[in-house]
């Protein structure tokens, strides 16, 4: 492993950079190896469950013709939000020229990469015929574009993945070469990624709110609600990640970004709650048949109450988290554990609200007003945990790749 | 041992830390990687079972509308052989195309329908549905008189029918003229044919179930498992786009029995109905019975506000 001569072409040095980064990313303490081994095992359990699902048909899930999307699509929706939420680091850094955010903005971008990978895995897990995945590829398959929102989603998600791979890859590569990044090679892409982040979540919301036959989803507020909760869950995850990084590696310069993100959540979490409240007001004050899904969600319908505990847990978590975030002390160093707790609550709250609390009630009651309940099967949980483990693996490796950069604050 | 030289920046600190004991670590890592890869292959081994059910020809098959005449003949021969092999039944699979100048519509006389459910049963048999799950394309809703609000209805009613204070509303695919199910399909696996029938290419559908979410009439069904039909009960008169036994993992739907109606017969549900509530025909034919009904009765469609423009009508005497 010799040094890279100045004249060596990128064709050979880029792969070398990737190889070297991966090599270093797999170096670590005993705790690191234990963590990765645990994730690998969980991932293998998930892979095995998925293989069984493909072999035996999706009968192994608890989905039905009435509730035809479940835990997978719920997680998919949430992960899109997480990916989009990473942009809340990019905006202060590049639109408001926050110098200290600049140094760590890459954490948000790496999170976006891991989250999109998980999104794609959740979609594949939900397909009845994953062997026909190629039918979706433009060129060799048949792409129902621009009519189907799902084709739009495929485009924007993959576009966002490529965009972030480029930005992260370029910045880290320049570090590796010891050169100063050339702004023309990444600033335009960073600006594009801000718009793009919003677009991935907008298109994903359109996926649901464009369905006239599903009154629970058919609301114009769905898109802003999606964005607001993404701007809670994304920053919440990054704060926890940064607290951990600081603990484990002693990297400095993270306190300022943590405070900035905390201030952002303070606003977005309230906007999110406000929108939930106005949606509930229109539903319940108006009444009629539109309200039945909301009724099912909050109080149960015809004695069926599977989602009620989920809903109230989410509400409890969201409100507690909101109150904590409003408290000024949370910005102080001494209250880090409380900040982490508030972030976890907001994160889990958003997960329930966007997943089980949004996808499932869209199907209950069904379009013929049957109330068929849905509780995810063990197989679905295994696959889900497997994909989460894989996502965390990607994120851990990605962060480790970036550590040398974070240790030595960038000059750009 | 690694130190990256730089050419453009003044500071040439090593950008990556130095790795000790390279070869021993490489060996350990390679060991772990092999172990991981082996475990992964073992974990996904059930896929081999699944792969056995899909032939290379099936995997490579293109979209129905892109098959040449010879390719279609090959595909159909293969499907017939597969049915023989997997279900032990001799079947003929036709490739029934729309008859020019035909637009099929359906109507149900709600004053006459008494909720006996014979149509549901006939559909189940005619279309080679899975016996276990007792699937059918038709659902009958028992509704209280005086309302069209489905929320007050029930699809799981029991007891003697008809009940005095109820009426019965059979619902199946409405073969919408603006079908949301077709719009949302990401791979064009479902489309509307010239005679108004919305079909699915079961060999192209990827099973994303977006169409199932989009249909406002609960008309689509997913094959959560491989359909089981005893050889003796398989309906051998089949068509590529309708009642041939569906593969696992794809979506299916009512096709107005196109393997019958495009051959001049009536849908199975209509023939099975003992009350004569069902009327079927070509709306473009001025002398047809269905045309007369649509012109002279009080006719309703379901969920008109959604703009799906159903080709399925309900009327009262
Ligand atoms: S009833 Fe449903 S499945 Fe049938 S055409 Fe309309 S939207 Fe499609
Ligand atoms: S389930 Fe099949 S027919 Fe329905 S939208 Fe998906 S690919 Fe199209």
């Amino acid at each position: 492993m010799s040094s890279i001569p100045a004249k060596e072409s990128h064709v050979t040095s880029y792969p070398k950079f990737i190889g070297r980064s991966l090599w270093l990313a797999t170096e670590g303490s005993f705790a690191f190896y234990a963590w990765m081994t645990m994730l690998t095992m969980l991932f293998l359990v998930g892979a095995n469950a998925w293989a069984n699902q493909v072999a035996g048909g999706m009968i192994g899930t608890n989905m039905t013709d009435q509730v035809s999307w479940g835990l997978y699509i719920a997680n998919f929706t949430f992960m899109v939000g997480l990916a989009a939420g990473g942009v809340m680091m990019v905006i202060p850094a590049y639109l408001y020229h926050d110098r200290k955010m600049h140094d760590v903005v890459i954490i948000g971008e790496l999170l976006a990469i891991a989250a999109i990978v998980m999104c794609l895995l959740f979609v594949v897990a939900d397909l009845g015929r994953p062997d026909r995945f190629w039918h979706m590829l433009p060129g060799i398959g048949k792409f129902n574009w621009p009519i189907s929102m799902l084709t739009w989603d495929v485009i924007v998600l993959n576009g966002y993945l490529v965009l972030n791979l480029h930005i992260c890859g370029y910045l880290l590569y320049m570090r590796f070469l010891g050169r100063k990044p050339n702004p023309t090679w990444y600033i335009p892409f960073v600006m594009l990624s801000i718009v793009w982040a919003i677009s991935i979540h907008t298109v994903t919301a359109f996926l649901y709110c464009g369905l006239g036959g599903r009154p629970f989803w058919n609301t114009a507020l769905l898109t802003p609600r999606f964005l607001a909760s993404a701007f809670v869950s994304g920053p919440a995850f990054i704060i926890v990640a940064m607290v951990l990084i600081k603990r484990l590696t002693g990297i400095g310069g993270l306190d300022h970004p943590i405070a900035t993100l905390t201030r952002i959540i303070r606003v977005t979490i309230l906007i999110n709650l406000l929108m939930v409240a106005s949606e509930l007001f229109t539903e319940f004050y108006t009444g009629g048949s539109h309200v039945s899904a909301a009724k099912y969600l909050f109080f149960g319908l015809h004695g069926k109450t599977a989602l009620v505990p989920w809903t109230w847990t989410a509400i409890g978590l969201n409100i507690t988290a909101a109150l904590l975030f409003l408290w000024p002390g949370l910005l102080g160093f001494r209250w880090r554990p409380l900040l982490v707790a508030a972030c976890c609550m907001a994160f889990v709250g958003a997960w329930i609200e966007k997943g089980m609390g949004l996808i499932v009630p869209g199907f209950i009651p069904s379009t013929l007003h049957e109330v068929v309940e849905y509780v995810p099967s063990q197989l679905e949980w295994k696959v889900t945990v497997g994909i989460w483990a894989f996502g965390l693996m990607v994120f851990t490796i990605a962060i480790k790749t970036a550590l040398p950069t974070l240790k030595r604050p960038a000059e750009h | 041992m690694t130190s990256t030289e730089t050419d453009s920046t003044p500071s040439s600190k090593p950008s990556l830390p130095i790795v000790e004991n390279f070869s021993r670590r490489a060996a350990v890592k390679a060991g772990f990687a092999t172990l991981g890869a082996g475990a992964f292959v073992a974990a996904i081994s059930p896929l081999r079972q699944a792969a056995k059910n899909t032939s290379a020809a099936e995997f490579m098959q293109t979209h129905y509308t892109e098959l040449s005449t010879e390719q279609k003949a090959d595909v159909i021969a293969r499907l017939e052989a597969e049915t023989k092999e997997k279900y032990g039944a001799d079947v003929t699979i036709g490739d029934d195309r729309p008859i020019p100048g035909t637009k099929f519509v359906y109507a149900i006389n709600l004053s006459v329908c008494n909720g006996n459910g014979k149509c549901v049963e006939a559909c189940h048999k005619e279309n080679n549905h899975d016996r276990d799950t007792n699937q059918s394309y038709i659902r009958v809703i028992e509704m209280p008189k005086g309302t069209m609000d489905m929320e007050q209805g029930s699809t799981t009613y029991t007891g003697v029918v008809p009940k005095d204070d109820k009426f019965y509303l059979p619902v199946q695919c409405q073969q919408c003229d603006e079908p949301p199910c077709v719009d949302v399909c990401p791979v064009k696996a479902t489309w509307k044919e010239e005679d108004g029938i919305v079909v699915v290419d079961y060999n192209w559908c990827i099973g994303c179930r977006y169409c199932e979410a989009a249909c406002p009439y609960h008309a689509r069904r997913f094959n959560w498992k491989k359909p089981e039909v005893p050889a003796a009960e398989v309906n051998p008169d089949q068509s590529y786009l309708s009642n041939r036994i569906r593969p696992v993992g794809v979506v299916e739907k009512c096709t107005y029995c196109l393997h019958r109606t495009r051959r001049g017969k009536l849908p199975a549900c209509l023939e099975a109905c003992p009350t004569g509530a069902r009327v079927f025909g070509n709306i473009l034919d001025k002398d047809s019975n269905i045309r007369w009904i649509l012109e002279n009765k009080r006719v309703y469609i379901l969920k008109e506000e959604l703009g799906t423009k159903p080709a399925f009508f309900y009327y009262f005497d």
Side-chain angles (χ1 to χ4, degrees):
Chain A
M1 293 216 153
S2 61
S3 58
I4 293 185
K7 279 173 262 356
E8 190 172 4
S9 101
H10 295 302
V11 182
T12 52
S13 67
Y14 196 76
K16 226 177 253 179
F17 147 70
I18 299 215
R20 186 89 56 89
S21 304
L22 279 180
W23 175 264
L24 282 171
T26 49
E27 294 291 305
S29 61
F30 178 76
F32 168 72
Y33 284 115
W35 165 247
M36 291 302 278
T37 309
M38 186 191 80
L39 292 181
T40 310
M41 281 183 336
L42 291 177
F43 167 68
L44 289 175
V45 169
N48 178 252
W50 176 72
N52 279 318
Q53 172 187 306
V54 175
M58 292 184 83
I59 191 82
T61 72
N62 276 352
M63 290 184 268
T64 52
D65 283 322
Q66 281 83 5
V67 185
S68 52
W69 282 339
L71 194 60
Y72 300 151
I73 295 299
N75 274 286
F76 159 77
T77 313
F78 177 75
M79 291 327 295
V80 175
L82 202 54
V87 83
M88 275 303 161
M89 299 199 76
V90 184
I91 290 178
Y94 289 96
L95 288 190
Y96 291 99
H97 304 290
D98 182 335
R99 302 280 326 156
K100 287 185 180 142
M101 275 312 237
H102 257 212
D103 300 340
V104 293
V105 71
I106 202 153
I107 298 179
E109 282 157 356
L110 294 173
L111 171 65
I113 292 175
I116 296 284
V117 168
M118 289 170 74
C119 284
L120 299 175
L121 289 179
F122 274 117
V123 169
V124 172
D126 193 62
L127 291 185
R129 295 303 298 241
D131 54 320
R132 296 181 184 166
F133 190 73
W134 65 273
H135 294 185
M136 271 188 128
L137 303 180
I140 56 168
K142 239 182 187 304
F143 216 43
N144 191 11
W145 190 84
I147 303 294
S148 171
M149 278 299 127
L150 204 52
T151 54
W152 276 91
D153 220 18
V154 170
I155 293 173
V156 292
L157 286 177
N158 283 300
Y160 194 58
L161 181 61
V162 171
L163 206 53
N164 278 293
L165 282 175
H166 166 74
I167 298 171
C168 296
Y170 178 76
L171 289 181
L172 295 178
Y173 182 49
M174 285 301 124
R175 286 276 109 212
F176 168 77
L177 294 181
R179 292 191 202 155
K180 206 171 150 60
N182 179 350
T184 49
W185 278 106
Y186 73 97
I187 295 289
F189 296 97
V190 169
M191 295 302 165
L192 183 60
S193 83
I194 294 176
V195 186
W196 208 291
I198 310 237
S199 86
I200 59 169
H201 221 27
T202 305
V203 171
T204 307
F206 286 179
L207 213 64
Y208 309 108
C209 65
L211 303 181
R214 306 271 171 196
F216 188 67
W217 293 338
N218 193 214
T219 148
L221 205 54
L222 202 70
T223 313
R225 259 187 76 190
F226 265 35
L227 288 168
S229 68
F231 296 154
V232 174
S233 57
F237 186 92
I238 296 172
I239 290 179
V240 175
M242 286 198 292
V243 170
L244 277 175
I245 291 173
K246 195 182 158 191
R247 263 287 162 74
L248 296 173
T249 65
I251 285 177
L254 292 179
D255 290 320
H256 172 83
I258 289 177
T260 308
L261 288 182
T262 309
R263 284 197 199 93
I264 287 175
I265 298 185
R266 216 174 242 181
V267 179
T268 51
I269 200 167
L270 289 182
I271 296 180
N272 187 38
L273 281 179
L274 173 73
M275 284 201 272
V276 175
S278 42
E279 191 132 57
L280 291 182
F281 173 77
T282 23
E283 296 262 12
F284 283 103
Y285 199 76
T286 318
S289 63
H290 271 223
V291 77
S292 37
K295 239 189 222 154
Y296 171 73
L297 188 57
F298 284 90
F299 309 110
L301 202 61
H302 307 311
K304 307 261 175 84
T305 56
L307 280 185
V308 175
W310 289 87
T311 316
W312 289 102
T313 311
I315 292 186
L317 290 172
N318 279 335
I319 291 182
T320 317
L323 290 177
L324 283 176
F325 273 104
L326 285 181
W327 180 54
L330 208 62
L331 291 173
F333 306 112
R334 275 190 302 134
W335 301 99
R336 280 292 183 259
L338 203 59
L339 175 65
V340 170
C343 286
C344 291
M345 282 186 219
F347 189 80
V348 177
W351 182 79
I352 298 178
E353 187 195 303
K354 278 255 260 313
M356 298 300 280
L358 182 94
I359 303 306
V360 178
F363 293 100
I364 305 174
S366 79
T367 47
L368 297 187
H369 296 273
E370 297 165 287
V371 179
V372 177
E373 296 209 280
Y374 163 78
V375 175
S377 71
Q378 212 184 59
L379 182 133
E380 287 173 86
W381 281 115
K382 281 187 193 162
V383 172
T384 303
V385 167
I387 296 177
W388 272 84
F390 187 77
L392 284 175
M393 251 151 78
V394 172
F395 185 64
T396 311
I397 295 284
I399 287 292
K400 285 209 78 193
T401 315
L403 277 184
T405 307
L406 291 172
K407 280 200 181 111
R408 213 177 50 156
E411 290 128 30
H412 57 274
Chain B
M1 51 170 292
T2 75
S3 144
T4 310
E5 240 99 64
T6 57
D7 59 332
S8 60
T9 46
S11 69
S12 55
K13 286 177 276 178
S15 65
L16 297 171
I18 288 157
V19 181
E20 305 288 354
N21 229 340
F22 180 75
S23 56
R24 196 179 67 89
R25 278 175 176 265
V28 172
K29 280 189 194 182
F32 270 108
T34 319
L35 202 67
F40 181 71
V41 170
I44 60 165
S45 64
L47 288 182
R48 252 178 285 158
Q49 183 53 39
K52 267 190 226 141
N53 294 327
T54 311
S55 62
E58 212 268 86
F59 177 72
M60 296 300 293
Q61 186 182 324
T62 62
H63 193 272
Y64 172 81
T65 55
E66 280 169 7
L67 292 171
S68 67
T69 319
E70 303 87 69
Q71 282 173 322
K72 247 185 212 171
D74 287 350
V75 166
I76 286 176
R78 192 190 78 226
L79 292 171
E80 287 172 348
E82 274 175 18
T83 317
K84 177 77 189 161
E85 185 194 325
K86 289 181 187 160
Y87 292 90
D90 290 299
V91 301
T92 42
I93 300 177
D95 175 34
D96 300 279
R97 302 302 305 141
I99 307 159
T102 315
K103 158 101 194 212
F104 288 130
V105 296
Y106 216 136
I108 293 185
N109 186 344
L110 294 179
S111 314
V112 173
C113 173
N114 67 7
N116 60 69
K118 285 278 181 291
C119 50
V120 178
E121 218 178 286
C123 175
H124 172 70
K125 292 196 182 122
E126 179 68 31
N127 288 300
N128 291 312
H129 279 295
D130 178 45
R131 293 299 178 239
D132 264 17
T133 39
N134 210 15
Q135 199 56 277
S136 170
Y137 295 139
I138 308 174
R139 277 192 129 66
V140 184
I141 312 178
E142 188 179 69
M143 301 272 289
K145 279 188 177 157
T147 178
M148 269 303 230
D149 180 4
M150 283 185 208
E151 205 177 337
Q152 301 183 41
S154 155
T155 53
T156 49
Y157 61 91
T158 48
V160 184
V161 289
K163 300 188 188 89
D164 279 346
D165 51 344
K166 308 280 191 202
F167 76 101
Y168 298 85
L169 182 71
V171 184
Q172 61 208 72
C173 175
Q174 315 272 307
Q175 317 291 356
C176 309
D177 281 342
E178 298 287 346
C181 58
V182 168
D183 289 346
V184 299
C185 179
V187 293
K188 296 192 186 163
T190 179
W191 65 93
K192 192 172 176 72
E193 299 241 296
E194 261 138 52
D195 56 359
I197 299 176
V198 174
V199 293
V200 180
D201 181 353
Y202 312 123
N203 284 50
W204 190 258
C205 168
I206 59 174
C208 66
R209 308 185 303 291
Y210 196 7
C211 54
E212 216 174 6
C215 169
Y217 306 98
H218 191 53
R220 292 191 166 237
R221 306 281 184 272
F222 183 68
N223 287 279
W224 300 96
K225 67 190 204 49
K226 176 175 172 255
E228 293 300 343
V229 193
E233 293 176 23
V234 171
N235 174 6
D237 298 326
Q238 305 181 354
S239 193
Y240 181 95
L241 290 173
S242 69
N243 65 335
R244 66 181 166 105
I245 306 181
R246 271 75 52 187
V248 66
V250 304
V251 147
E252 51 167 305
K253 64 181 288 298
C254 161
T255 61
Y256 279 173
C257 283
L258 66 76
H259 56 284
R260 297 170 60 98
T261 50
R262 284 180 183 172
R263 298 175 192 169
K265 292 203 265 176
L266 288 163
C269 48
L270 186 149
E271 278 191 355
C273 177
T275 66
R278 290 175 168 257
V279 190
F280 181 83
N282 176 9
I283 198 177
L284 301 179
D285 174 0
K286 287 200 176 56
D287 305 320
S288 62
N289 194 14
I290 190 107
R291 181 84 172 237
W292 186 86
I293 286 168
L294 296 182
E295 276 165 6
N296 294 288
K297 299 281 182 181
R298 282 186 300 136
V299 177
Y300 300 84
I301 55 169
L302 292 183
K303 307 200 183 193
E304 187 180 359
E305 70 281 6
L306 299 180
T308 50
K309 305 210 181 98
F312 200 100
F313 303 93
Y314 298 90
Y315 66 100
F316 293 98
D317 272 337

